[in-house]
């Protein structure tokens, strides 16, 4: 199972953890860096 899920939401991105009742919205720029790293199978930044 994924630890976090990011999905487009109303011009931003919604970050949620499966099973959690909360989440957060982030703008496009902070989303794009980890998304491109995840696609390349490189380790994520700390």
């Amino acid at each position: 199972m994924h630890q976090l899920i990011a999905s487009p939401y109303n011009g931003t991105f919604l970050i949620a953890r499966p099973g959690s009742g909360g989440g957060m919205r982030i703008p496009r720029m902070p989303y794009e860096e980890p998304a491109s790293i995840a696609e390349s199978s490189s380790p994520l930044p700390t």
Side-chain angles (χ1 to χ4, degrees):
M1 180 188 298
H2 300 290
Q3 291 186 17
L4 293 176
I5 297 172
S7 178
Y9 177 77
N10 202 24
T12 61
F13 287 85
L14 179 65
I15 308 295
R17 183 184 306 266
S20 175
M24 66 179 179
R25 285 191 292 175
I26 61 170
R28 177 174 294 279
M29 290 304 292
Y31 167 80
E32 288 180 350
E33 181 184 10
S36 66
I37 292 171
E39 289 175 2
S40 71
S41 300
S42 298
L44 291 172
T46 56

